[in-house]
Amino acid sequence: MSATRDDPHIDSLSLESRVVAAARPERVSDAGVNVPIDLNSTFLAPGEAGYGRFGNSTWSALESAIESLESGSTLVFSSGIAAISALFSILPRGAVVTASRNGYSGTMVLLRQAEASGALEVRYVDVSNTAEVFAALPGSTLLWLESPTNPALEVADIPTLIAAAKQLNVGVAVDNTFATPLVQQPLEMGADLVMHSLSKYIAGHSDVILGSISTKDQALYQRLADVRKMNGAIPGPFEVWLALRGLRTLGVRMERAQKNAMELAVRLSSHPAVSQVRYPGLPGDPHHAIAKSFMKGFGAVISFDHSGGAEAADQACAASKLVAYATSLGGVESLWERRHRWSSESPTIPVNLIRLSVGIEDVEDIWRDIDQALRGSLER
Ligand SMILES: Cc1ncc(COP(=O)(O)O)c(C=O)c1O
């Protein structure tokens, strides 16, 4: 179901141009340059569309835009966590999943629930420790790689791990939310599935919750499409349209946010209120060399430990005026929070860790704001 033109020319474009040009309407007289919001719960017979839970032309447009970035058939879901749930739900009962010990807290909750119910067996690993992942792979059905991880910013050696998993017939799925397809394309490296919380960088404006899964494997695609249809975790057309609108500026947003993040990571490294900075772009970061070997950037999230402890970290977050004290990431506006304000955060994450999602504001304004907030929190 598609209202967009089938454009073979798109593959000749850079990824930064594809975010702008992909999934546009047919070029006929008086056509709009943007796809419409398809607000229909049902469609006239006879035809393939049928019913609004089965498909929607605005979904198809966003799916085809993501497909042109990730090089895999794509399904959009009502949230990132719905996409992950769909993926875990197609694994055979009792399947072994090797997954990050430090991943996004929602994914960790899902994995622990699946373990408790006997649906899955999970081997938790440090995904940045390649030898540890190798050791866990034999007998696994799926290697679930979140990289960089949220919020520890560990980087997995994705190409090496995919090669090892393939030899053992282990499927690989990558949560590509933090990197975005502009920084790494896991399917092109051989992964079986790539997942996004579109709520973050792809939509980019902190105004929608959406997710996606892409795959080159048509059988997997069909199974996931069936899960979406029958579990009903379908997105709203308006949210999908907003995400497609947000995607158009992904290139410039990422360029600016990553540049800001690099500058802030350097400055935070010598700040008196900071005992450790975690950002793979820093040459001294333990994940820098691996990240540099295959990523086209380092993302725009920085995590750091407040030298004054958890309470001082909370005080700092509450004292910012430009940077919003809020969860989430990937929007145009900078956000920060102490991750352990959520009881679901992994015990392996330090209690004084602040995650800063760097936005596209003037870097000097962001710095002035976080510097005053951090210094104030040391004086109390
Ligand atoms: C890395 C990562 N994956 C998945 C999710 C879940 O996505 P959503 O909030 O869109 O359900 C998040 C949300 O923060 C995330 O950070």
Side-chain angles (χ1 to χ4, degrees), residues 202-255:
I202 302 241
H205 295 75
S206 305
D207 51 9
V208 296
I209 298 287
L210 287 173
S212 70
I213 303 184
S214 308
T215 179
K216 291 180 193 285
D217 181 326
Q218 286 314 303
L220 274 177
Y221 171 85
Q222 200 47 57
R223 287 176 69 194
L224 290 162
D226 290 344
V227 171
R228 180 180 69 177
K229 186 170 165 179
M230 296 321 297
N231 283 7
I234 57 162
F238 181 56
E239 285 75 8
V240 168
W241 188 89
L242 278 176
L244 184 57
R245 180 187 163 127
L247 174 70
R248 300 302 184 201
T249 54
L250 181 66
V252 284
R253 285 188 285 108
M254 281 303 281
E255 190 181 327

Coordinates of all heavy atoms in Angstrom, one line a residue, residues 202-255:
I202 N 15.1 9.8 15.0 CA 14.4 9.8 13.6 C 13.3 10.8 13.6 O 13.2 11.7 12.8 CB 13.9 8.4 13.3 CG1 15.2 7.5 13.3 CG2 13.1 8.4 12.0 CD1 15.6 6.8 12.1
A203 N 12.4 10.8 14.6 CA 11.3 11.8 14.7 C 11.9 13.1 15.1 O 11.6 14.2 14.6 CB 10.2 11.4 15.6
G204 N 12.8 13.1 16.2 CA 13.7 14.2 16.5 C 13.1 15.4 17.2 O 13.9 16.4 17.4
H205 N 11.9 15.4 17.6 CA 11.3 16.6 18.2 C 10.6 16.3 19.5 O 9.8 17.2 20.0 CB 10.4 17.4 17.3 CG 11.1 17.9 16.1 ND1 11.5 17.1 15.0 CD2 11.5 19.1 15.7 CE1 12.2 17.8 14.1 NE2 12.2 19.1 14.5
S206 N 10.8 15.2 20.1 CA 10.2 14.8 21.4 C 8.7 15.0 21.4 O 8.1 15.5 22.4 CB 10.8 15.7 22.6 OG 12.2 15.5 22.6
D207 N 8.0 14.7 20.3 CA 6.6 14.8 20.2 C 5.8 13.6 19.8 O 4.6 13.6 19.7 CB 6.2 16.0 19.3 CG 6.9 16.0 17.9 OD1 7.5 14.9 17.6 OD2 6.8 16.9 17.2
V208 N 6.5 12.5 19.5 CA 5.8 11.2 19.2 C 6.5 10.0 19.8 O 7.7 10.1 20.2 CB 5.8 10.9 17.7 CG1 5.0 12.0 16.9 CG2 7.2 10.8 17.1
I209 N 5.8 9.0 20.0 CA 6.3 7.7 20.5 C 6.0 6.7 19.3 O 4.9 6.5 18.9 CB 5.6 7.2 21.7 CG1 5.9 8.1 22.9 CG2 6.1 5.7 22.1 CD1 7.2 8.1 23.5
L210 N 7.1 6.1 18.8 CA 7.0 5.2 17.6 C 8.2 4.3 17.6 O 9.2 4.6 18.1 CB 6.9 5.9 16.3 CG 5.7 6.7 15.9 CD1 6.0 7.5 14.6 CD2 4.5 5.8 15.7
G211 N 8.0 3.1 16.9 CA 9.2 2.3 16.7 C 9.2 1.6 15.4 O 8.2 1.8 14.6
S212 N 10.3 1.0 15.0 CA 10.4 0.3 13.7 C 11.3 -0.9 13.8 O 12.1 -1.0 14.7 CB 10.9 1.2 12.6 OG 12.2 1.5 12.8
I213 N 11.0 -1.9 12.9 CA 11.9 -3.0 12.7 C 12.2 -3.1 11.2 O 11.2 -3.0 10.4 CB 11.4 -4.3 13.2 CG1 11.0 -4.3 14.7 CG2 12.4 -5.5 12.9 CD1 10.5 -5.6 15.2
S214 N 13.4 -3.3 10.8 CA 13.7 -3.6 9.4 C 14.5 -4.9 9.2 O 15.3 -5.3 10.1 CB 14.6 -2.4 8.9 OG 14.1 -1.2 9.1
T215 N 14.3 -5.5 8.1 CA 15.0 -6.8 7.8 C 15.0 -7.0 6.3 O 14.1 -6.6 5.6 CB 14.3 -8.0 8.5 OG1 15.0 -9.2 8.2 CG2 12.8 -8.2 8.1
K216 N 16.1 -7.8 5.9 CA 16.1 -8.2 4.5 C 15.5 -9.5 4.3 O 15.3 -9.9 3.2 CB 17.6 -8.3 4.1 CG 18.4 -7.0 4.0 CD 19.8 -7.3 3.6 CE 20.8 -6.1 3.7 NZ 20.6 -5.1 2.8
D217 N 15.1 -10.2 5.4 CA 14.5 -11.5 5.3 C 13.0 -11.4 5.2 O 12.3 -11.0 6.2 CB 15.0 -12.3 6.6 CG 14.5 -13.7 6.7 OD1 13.4 -14.0 6.2 OD2 15.2 -14.5 7.3
Q218 N 12.5 -11.8 4.1 CA 11.0 -11.6 3.8 C 10.2 -12.5 4.7 O 9.1 -12.1 5.1 CB 10.7 -11.9 2.3 CG 11.1 -10.7 1.4 CD 10.8 -9.4 2.0 OE1 9.6 -9.0 2.2 NE2 11.8 -8.5 2.1
A219 N 10.7 -13.7 5.1 CA 9.9 -14.5 6.0 C 9.8 -13.9 7.4 O 8.7 -13.9 8.0 CB 10.6 -15.9 6.1
L220 N 10.9 -13.3 7.9 CA 10.9 -12.6 9.2 C 9.9 -11.4 9.1 O 9.2 -11.2 10.0 CB 12.3 -12.2 9.6 CG 13.2 -13.1 10.3 CD1 14.6 -12.5 10.5 CD2 12.6 -13.5 11.6
Y221 N 10.0 -10.7 8.0 CA 9.2 -9.5 7.8 C 7.7 -9.9 7.9 O 6.9 -9.3 8.6 CB 9.5 -8.9 6.4 CG 8.5 -7.8 6.1 CD1 8.7 -6.5 6.5 CD2 7.4 -8.1 5.3 CE1 7.8 -5.5 6.2 CE2 6.5 -7.1 4.9 CZ 6.7 -5.8 5.4 OH 5.8 -4.8 5.1
Q222 N 7.4 -11.0 7.2 CA 6.0 -11.4 7.2 C 5.5 -11.8 8.6 O 4.4 -11.5 9.1 CB 5.8 -12.5 6.2 CG 4.3 -12.7 5.8 CD 3.6 -11.4 5.4 OE1 4.1 -10.6 4.6 NE2 2.5 -11.1 6.1
R223 N 6.4 -12.5 9.4 CA 6.0 -13.0 10.7 C 5.8 -11.7 11.6 O 4.8 -11.7 12.4 CB 7.0 -13.9 11.3 CG 7.0 -15.3 10.7 CD 8.1 -16.1 11.2 NE 7.9 -16.5 12.6 CZ 8.8 -17.0 13.3 NH1 10.0 -17.2 12.9 NH2 8.6 -17.4 14.6
L224 N 6.6 -10.8 11.5 CA 6.5 -9.5 12.3 C 5.3 -8.7 11.9 O 4.6 -8.1 12.7 CB 7.8 -8.7 12.2 CG 9.0 -9.3 12.9 CD1 10.3 -8.7 12.4 CD2 8.8 -9.2 14.4
A225 N 5.0 -8.7 10.6 CA 3.8 -8.0 10.1 C 2.5 -8.7 10.7 O 1.6 -8.0 11.1 CB 3.7 -8.0 8.6
D226 N 2.6 -10.0 10.7 CA 1.4 -10.7 11.3 C 1.2 -10.4 12.8 O 0.1 -10.2 13.3 CB 1.6 -12.2 11.1 CG 1.4 -12.6 9.7 OD1 0.9 -11.8 8.9 OD2 1.9 -13.7 9.3
V227 N 2.4 -10.3 13.5 CA 2.3 -10.0 15.0 C 1.7 -8.6 15.1 O 0.8 -8.3 16.0 CB 3.7 -10.0 15.6 CG1 3.7 -9.5 17.0 CG2 4.2 -11.5 15.7
R228 N 2.2 -7.6 14.3 CA 1.7 -6.2 14.4 C 0.2 -6.2 14.2 O -0.6 -5.6 14.9 CB 2.4 -5.3 13.5 CG 1.9 -3.9 13.6 CD 2.6 -2.9 12.6 NE 2.2 -3.2 11.2 CZ 2.7 -2.5 10.2 NH1 3.5 -1.4 10.4 NH2 2.3 -2.7 9.0
K229 N -0.2 -6.9 13.2 CA -1.6 -6.9 12.8 C -2.5 -7.5 13.9 O -3.5 -7.0 14.3 CB -1.8 -7.8 11.6 CG -3.1 -7.9 10.9 CD -2.9 -8.6 9.6 CE -4.1 -9.0 8.9 NZ -3.9 -9.7 7.6
M230 N -2.0 -8.6 14.5 CA -2.9 -9.4 15.5 C -2.7 -8.9 16.9 O -3.6 -9.0 17.7 CB -2.7 -10.9 15.4 CG -3.1 -11.4 14.1 SD -4.6 -10.7 13.4 CE -5.8 -11.2 14.6
N231 N -1.5 -8.3 17.3 CA -1.3 -7.7 18.6 C -1.9 -6.3 18.6 O -2.1 -5.7 19.7 CB 0.1 -7.7 19.1 CG 0.5 -9.1 19.5 OD1 -0.2 -10.0 19.4 ND2 1.7 -9.2 20.1
G232 N -2.0 -5.7 17.4 CA -2.6 -4.4 17.3 C -1.7 -3.2 17.7 O -2.2 -2.2 18.0
A233 N -0.4 -3.5 17.8 CA 0.5 -2.4 18.2 C 0.8 -1.5 17.0 O 2.0 -1.3 16.6 CB 1.8 -3.0 18.8
I234 N -0.2 -0.9 16.5 CA -0.1 -0.1 15.2 C 0.0 1.4 15.6 O -0.5 1.8 16.6 CB -1.3 -0.3 14.3 CG1 -2.6 0.0 15.0 CG2 -1.3 -1.7 13.7 CD1 -3.8 0.2 14.1
P235 N 0.8 2.1 14.7 CA 0.9 3.5 15.0 C -0.2 4.3 14.5 O -1.0 3.9 13.6 CB 2.2 3.9 14.2 CG 2.2 2.9 13.1 CD 1.5 1.6 13.6
G236 N -0.4 5.5 15.0 CA -1.4 6.5 14.5 C -0.8 7.2 13.3 O 0.3 7.5 13.3
P237 N -1.6 7.4 12.2 CA -1.1 8.0 11.0 C -0.5 9.4 11.3 O 0.4 9.8 10.6 CB -2.4 8.1 10.1 CG -3.3 7.1 10.6 CD -3.0 6.9 12.1
F238 N -1.1 10.2 12.2 CA -0.6 11.5 12.4 C 0.8 11.5 13.0 O 1.7 12.2 12.6 CB -1.5 12.3 13.4 CG -1.1 13.7 13.7 CD1 -0.8 14.6 12.6 CD2 -0.9 14.1 15.0 CE1 -0.4 15.9 12.9 CE2 -0.4 15.4 15.2 CZ -0.2 16.3 14.2
E239 N 1.0 10.6 14.0 CA 2.4 10.4 14.6 C 3.4 10.0 13.5 O 4.5 10.5 13.5 CB 2.3 9.4 15.7 CG 1.7 9.8 17.0 CD 0.2 9.9 16.9 OE1 -0.4 9.5 15.9 OE2 -0.4 10.4 17.9
V240 N 2.9 9.1 12.7 CA 3.8 8.6 11.6 C 4.2 9.8 10.7 O 5.4 9.9 10.3 CB 3.1 7.4 10.8 CG1 3.9 7.1 9.6 CG2 3.1 6.2 11.7
W241 N 3.2 10.6 10.4 CA 3.5 11.7 9.5 C 4.5 12.7 10.2 O 5.4 13.2 9.5 CB 2.2 12.4 9.2 CG 2.3 13.5 8.2 CD1 2.1 13.4 6.8 CD2 2.5 14.9 8.4 NE1 2.3 14.6 6.2 CE2 2.5 15.6 7.2 CE3 2.7 15.6 9.6 CZ2 2.8 16.9 7.1 CZ3 3.0 17.0 9.5 CH2 3.0 17.6 8.2
L242 N 4.3 12.9 11.5 CA 5.3 13.8 12.2 C 6.7 13.2 12.2 O 7.7 13.9 12.0 CB 4.8 13.9 13.7 CG 3.7 15.0 13.9 CD1 3.4 14.9 15.4 CD2 4.2 16.4 13.6
A243 N 6.8 11.9 12.3 CA 8.1 11.2 12.3 C 8.7 11.4 10.9 O 9.9 11.7 10.8 CB 8.0 9.8 12.6
L244 N 7.9 11.3 9.8 CA 8.5 11.5 8.5 C 8.9 12.9 8.3 O 10.0 13.2 7.7 CB 7.4 11.1 7.5 CG 7.8 11.1 6.0 CD1 9.0 10.2 5.7 CD2 6.7 10.7 5.1
R245 N 8.1 13.8 8.8 CA 8.5 15.2 8.7 C 9.8 15.5 9.5 O 10.7 16.2 9.0 CB 7.4 16.1 9.3 CG 7.7 17.6 9.3 CD 6.7 18.4 10.0 NE 7.2 19.7 10.3 CZ 6.5 20.8 10.0 NH1 5.4 20.7 9.4 NH2 7.0 21.9 10.3
G246 N 9.9 14.9 10.7 CA 11.1 15.0 11.5 C 12.3 14.4 10.8 O 13.4 15.0 10.8
L247 N 12.1 13.3 10.2 CA 13.2 12.6 9.5 C 13.9 13.4 8.5 O 15.1 13.3 8.2 CB 12.7 11.3 8.8 CG 13.7 10.5 8.0 CD1 14.7 9.8 8.9 CD2 12.9 9.4 7.2
R248 N 13.2 14.3 7.8 CA 13.7 15.2 6.7 C 14.9 16.0 7.2 O 15.8 16.3 6.4 CB 12.6 16.1 6.2 CG 11.4 15.5 5.7 CD 11.7 14.6 4.5 NE 10.5 14.0 3.9 CZ 10.5 12.9 3.2 NH1 11.6 12.2 3.0 NH2 9.4 12.4 2.7
T249 N 15.0 16.3 8.5 CA 16.2 17.1 8.9 C 17.2 16.3 9.7 O 18.1 16.8 10.4 CB 15.7 18.2 9.8 OG1 14.8 17.7 10.9 CG2 14.9 19.3 9.0
L250 N 17.1 14.9 9.7 CA 18.0 14.1 10.5 C 19.4 14.4 10.2 O 20.2 14.5 11.1 CB 17.7 12.6 10.2 CG 18.5 11.6 11.0 CD1 18.2 11.7 12.5 CD2 18.3 10.2 10.6
G251 N 19.8 14.6 8.9 CA 21.2 14.8 8.6 C 21.7 16.1 9.3 O 22.8 16.0 10.0
V252 N 21.0 17.2 9.2 CA 21.6 18.4 9.8 C 21.5 18.4 11.3 O 22.3 18.9 12.0 CB 20.9 19.7 9.3 CG1 21.4 20.0 7.9 CG2 19.4 19.6 9.3
R253 N 20.4 17.7 11.8 CA 20.3 17.6 13.3 C 21.4 16.8 13.9 O 22.1 17.2 14.9 CB 18.9 17.0 13.7 CG 17.8 18.0 13.5 CD 16.5 17.4 14.1 NE 15.9 16.4 13.3 CZ 15.8 15.1 13.6 NH1 16.4 14.6 14.7 NH2 15.2 14.2 12.8
M254 N 21.7 15.7 13.2 CA 22.8 14.8 13.7 C 24.1 15.5 13.6 O 25.0 15.4 14.5 CB 22.8 13.5 13.0 CG 21.7 12.5 13.4 SD 21.8 12.1 15.2 CE 23.2 10.9 15.2
E255 N 24.4 16.1 12.5 CA 25.7 16.8 12.4 C 25.9 17.8 13.5 O 26.9 17.8 14.1 CB 25.7 17.5 11.0 CG 27.0 18.0 10.6 CD 26.9 18.7 9.2 OE1 26.1 18.3 8.3 OE2 27.7 19.6 9.0

